[in-house]
């Protein structure tokens, strides 16, 4: 059964190699979709097995940790990986429908292999059991991301790509420094082994190492004030690339924070620094969203704001808070991707991402308006959508904690939800609430305004279908809130009682 752990990492890489061997785009598209469908089936099986039997461990080549490469699938990693692969598959179908790369022969060669390598890197990040391979996973994602963000790019997108790469390289250098310092202090980079050895370090050194890793992963997760690169990078990319980046890459950073801060640097009290960071992220992000008039930048700042909700539960550092964080991450992976995909459909129809200009362009269809309304209400926390379920879990955790700081977190989250609802309603009013006018510009001119590949053809049925599928996944998350909350609670208990994780990884090895 443990061979199932290798498949989400290896199969996309093999698929990427195969896509380079053929020039027939139909074959490449079918191969890419087949690979991600197979990976999705595999990670669902891993989720069932990990929830039923506890952490699954694969020791590459039969070598025990810390000498060998170890992959670990527990409830947290498989839950997030399942959501991530489902979103990656839906976004791939959208990209095929849009013709994101196929319109240009050079880009067509690079898109599918780069996309599959990106998914492989995400899978490795969720499954790896040591910090060095987590670094490798981030570098895989960085390399693939730079290829995707600069595919057939002009000057603005290349400049945005350089901002993204420069920021990522700086955080990678900090990550390498942190790995070297941890190895020098403890003699290992295996997470399960670090969990036992970091506790023996002097308190000052332990705190410094924990903060260094928090800064490194904070850049990846776009936490305020380390978020500056997101609004400049994501909105310039093609719609499917922006959607998959927003949904997955920041969540991988948040997962790394969750894993290291609970397993390696555990604590028993509410963490003031994280609580302040959570409130700052929620408010700075949402006020940034309200200040902008470009639909993609509004959504990018909303993403920054809602990373604060995930810090909210981690700051509380109890089962209720961590359960809320896990539920919020699953909800946000799906909903944020859906919002960016719908925004792509709107831009393709109106020919501009600027909200004020949309009033003078062709109105999107009622179906697209509905596709926007559902995830928008969810991200704002309106019942009965998945965002409401996750926010209620966090609010209950905050009230249950009962400290002034916890009440401050709860108050900031309520205020942010109201402001998010206002931001979403503003997009709705400017993008959808108007009648089609005789002098509106035809959608065939849209590509000239946006530069988005495929935009000139308007929203194709495959694009709309993929977006509808993503919205349906979001609704499924809400309908399955009960079972998800149960698994999320068990995953949170695992995080606070890591003996099962440590025992599974270090079984038979020297601790």
């Amino acid at each position: 059964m443990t061979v199932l752990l290798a498949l989400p990492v290896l199969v996309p890489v093999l698929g990427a190699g195969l896509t380079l061997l053929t020039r027939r785009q139909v074959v490449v598209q079918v191969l890419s979709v087949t690979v991600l469908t197979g990976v999705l089936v595999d990670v669902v099986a891993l989720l069932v097995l990990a929830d039923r039997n506890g952490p699954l461990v694969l020791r590459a080549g039969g070598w025990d940790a810390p000498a060998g490469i170890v992959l670990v699938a527990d409830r947290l990693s498989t839950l997030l990986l399942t959501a991530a692969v489902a979103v990656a598959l839906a976004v791939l179908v959208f990209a095929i429908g849009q013709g994101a790369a196929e319109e240009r022969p050079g880009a067509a060669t690079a898109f599918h292999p780069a996309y599959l390598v990106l998914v492989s890197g995400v899978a490795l990040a969720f499954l790896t059991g040591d910090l060095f391979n987590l670094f490798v996973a981030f570098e895989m994602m960085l390399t693939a991301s730079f290829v995707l963000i600069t595919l057939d790019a002009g000057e603005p997108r290349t400049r945005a790509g350089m901002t993204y790469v420069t920021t990522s390289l700086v955080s990678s250098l900090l990550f390498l420094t942190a790995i070297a310092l941890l190895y020098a202090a403890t003699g290992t980079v295996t997470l399960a082994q670090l969990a036992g050895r970091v506790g023996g370090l002097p308190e000052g050194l332990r705190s410094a190492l924990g903060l260094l890793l928090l800064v490194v992963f904070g850049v990846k997760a776009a936490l305020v004030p380390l978020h500056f690169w997101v609004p400049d990078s994501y909105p310039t990319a093609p719609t499917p690339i922006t959607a998959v980046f927003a949904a997955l890459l920041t969540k991988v950073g948040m997962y790394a924070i969750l894993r290291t801060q609970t397993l390696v640097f555990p604590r028993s009290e509410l963490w003031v620094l994280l609580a302040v960071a959570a409130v700052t992220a929620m408010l700075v992000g949402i006020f940034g969203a309200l200040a902008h008039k470009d639909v993609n930048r509004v959504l990018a700042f909303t993403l920054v704001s809602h990373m604060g909700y995930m810090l909210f539960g981690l700051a509380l550092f109890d089962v209720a808070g961590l359960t809320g964080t896990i539920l919020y991450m699953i909800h946000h992976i799906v909903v944020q991707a859906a919002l960016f995909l719908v925004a792509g459909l709107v831009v393709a129809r109106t020919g501009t991402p600027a909200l004020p200009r949309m009033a003078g362009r062709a109105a999107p269809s009622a179906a697209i308006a509905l596709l926007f309304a559902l995830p928008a209400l969810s991200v704002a926390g309106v019942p009965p959508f998945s965002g409401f379920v996750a926010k209620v879990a966090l609010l209950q955790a905050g009230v249950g904690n009962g400290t002034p700081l916890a009440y401050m977190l709860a108050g900031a989250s309520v205020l942010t939800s109201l402001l998010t609802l206002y931001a979403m309603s503003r997009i709705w009013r400017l993008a959808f609430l108007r009648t089609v006018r005789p002098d509106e510009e035809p959608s065939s001119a849209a590509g000239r305004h946006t530069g988005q590949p495929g935009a000139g053809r308007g929203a194709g049925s495959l694009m709309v279908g993929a977006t509808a599928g993503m919205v349906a996944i979001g609704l499924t998350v809400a309908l399955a809130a009960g079972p998800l909350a149960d698994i999320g609670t068990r995953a949170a208990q695992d995080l606070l009682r890591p003996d099962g994780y440590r025992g599974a990884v270090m079984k038979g090895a020297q601790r």
Side-chain angles (χ1 to χ4, degrees):
M1 283 295 180
T2 55
V3 71
L4 295 177
L5 276 77
L7 299 183
V9 180
L10 295 181
V11 171
V13 172
L14 293 175
L18 291 175
T19 58
L20 291 173
L21 299 179
T22 177
R23 295 284 180 180
R24 295 188 61 188
Q25 283 307 301
V26 174
V27 176
V28 170
Q29 292 165 0
V30 171
L31 180 60
S32 298
V33 172
T34 303
V35 164
L36 291 192
T37 303
V39 171
L40 180 60
V41 172
D42 179 71
V43 297
V44 170
L46 284 174
L47 171 60
V48 173
L49 291 172
D51 186 44
R52 183 184 303 165
N53 304 325
L56 305 172
V57 179
L58 171 66
R59 296 172 174 80
W63 289 82
D64 290 325
I69 296 173
V70 176
L71 299 181
V72 189
D74 64 353
R75 292 185 178 100
L76 175 64
S77 59
T78 52
L79 262 175
L80 297 177
L81 186 54
T82 300
V85 176
V87 166
L89 178 58
V91 172
L92 175 63
V93 174
F94 184 100
I96 291 172
Q98 187 186 43
E102 286 77 357
E103 288 182 342
R104 301 160 176 83
T109 305
F111 176 79
H112 287 274
Y115 193 85
L116 292 176
V117 170
L118 178 74
V119 175
S120 176
V122 170
L124 179 59
F126 282 130
L127 294 175
T128 184
D130 67 80
L131 287 178
F132 183 75
N133 280 299
L134 182 58
F135 171 79
V136 172
F138 277 123
E139 295 313 295
M140 289 175 66
M141 289 185 285
L142 171 62
T143 304
S145 299
F146 185 63
V147 172
L148 291 170
I149 206 170
T150 57
L151 273 177
D152 196 36
E155 181 183 345
R157 204 189 306 165
T158 301
R159 188 167 56 247
M162 291 306 297
T163 301
Y164 172 75
V165 169
T166 303
T167 306
S168 298
L169 286 177
V170 170
S171 67
S172 295
L173 288 174
L174 285 176
F175 193 11
L176 270 182
T177 303
I179 291 174
L181 291 174
L182 274 167
Y183 186 79
T186 64
T188 183
V189 292
T190 301
L191 290 168
Q193 206 167 26
L194 281 170
R197 296 187 180 180
V198 167
L201 298 177
E203 184 176 351
L205 178 58
R206 188 169 65 245
S207 299
L209 291 171
L211 284 175
L212 183 55
L213 282 182
L214 183 61
V215 170
V216 169
F217 299 137
V219 174
K220 309 288 188 185
L223 301 183
V224 176
L226 307 171
H227 69 290
F228 56 90
W229 55 276
V230 167
D232 291 334
S233 303
Y234 285 5
T236 60
T239 294
I241 306 306
T242 302
V244 80
F245 283 9
L248 303 188
L249 300 190
T250 51
K251 307 308 181 300
V252 171
M254 181 56 68
Y255 166 79
I257 292 174
L258 261 182
R259 181 66 76 190
T260 53
Q261 295 300 324
T262 55
L263 181 63
V264 183
F265 305 98
R267 56 185 51 78
S268 58
E269 74 287 355
L270 187 149
W271 193 1
V272 176
L273 175 63
L274 275 192
V276 173
V279 172
T280 305
M282 283 189 271
L283 297 181
V284 169
I286 198 59
F287 282 120
L290 295 175
H292 284 84
K293 297 178 181 178
D294 179 300
V295 63
N296 288 322
R297 292 183 74 85
V298 171
L299 294 179
F301 273 102
T302 304
L303 163 68
V304 171
S305 172
H306 286 237
M307 297 306 292
Y309 284 95
M310 300 165 212
L311 284 183
F312 181 163
L314 180 59
L316 297 179
F317 217 85
D318 55 20
V319 171
L322 289 172
T323 301
T325 292
I326 293 168
L327 291 177
Y328 207 90
M329 290 178 73
I330 295 169
H331 140 76
H332 206 259
I333 285 173
V334 177
V335 168
Q336 193 69 46
L339 283 172
F340 272 112
L341 292 187
V342 181
L345 296 178
V346 173
V347 172
R349 176 62 178 165
T350 61
T352 176
L355 289 168
R357 294 180 184 173
M358 287 182 181
R361 304 284 171 82
S365 66
I368 296 177
L370 178 63
L371 291 178
F372 176 81
L374 296 175
L377 292 173
S378 182
V379 80
V382 174
F385 299 101
S386 57
F388 171 76
V389 175
K391 287 176 181 176
V392 166
L394 287 170
L395 288 174
Q396 288 177 336
V399 173
N401 185 279
T403 61
L405 207 51
Y407 283 119
M408 183 185 72
L409 281 165
S413 70
V414 172
L415 176 61
T416 302
S417 291
L418 294 174
L419 294 176
T420 302
L421 183 60
Y422 175 76
M424 294 298 109
S425 64
R426 187 177 61 145
I427 294 177
W428 174 273
R429 176 171 55 82
L430 294 173
F432 300 106
L433 283 186
R434 64 181 184 277
T435 58
V436 179
R437 303 187 313 196
D439 60 342
E440 66 187 7
E441 294 188 21
S443 61
S444 61
R448 295 200 297 268
H449 297 281
T450 64
Q452 293 276 359
R457 299 192 304 272
S461 57
L462 199 56
M463 295 162 63
V464 176
T467 307
M470 187 76 76
V471 173
I473 294 173
L475 295 176
T476 303
V477 170
L479 292 173
L484 275 177
D486 292 340
I487 300 178
T489 301
R490 292 194 289 274
Q493 291 169 341
D494 292 343
L495 289 176
L496 294 179
R497 294 197 299 266
D499 288 346
Y501 183 98
R502 294 177 56 194
V505 175
M506 301 307 298
K507 184 178 180 180
Q510 184 179 0
R511 301 190 185 190

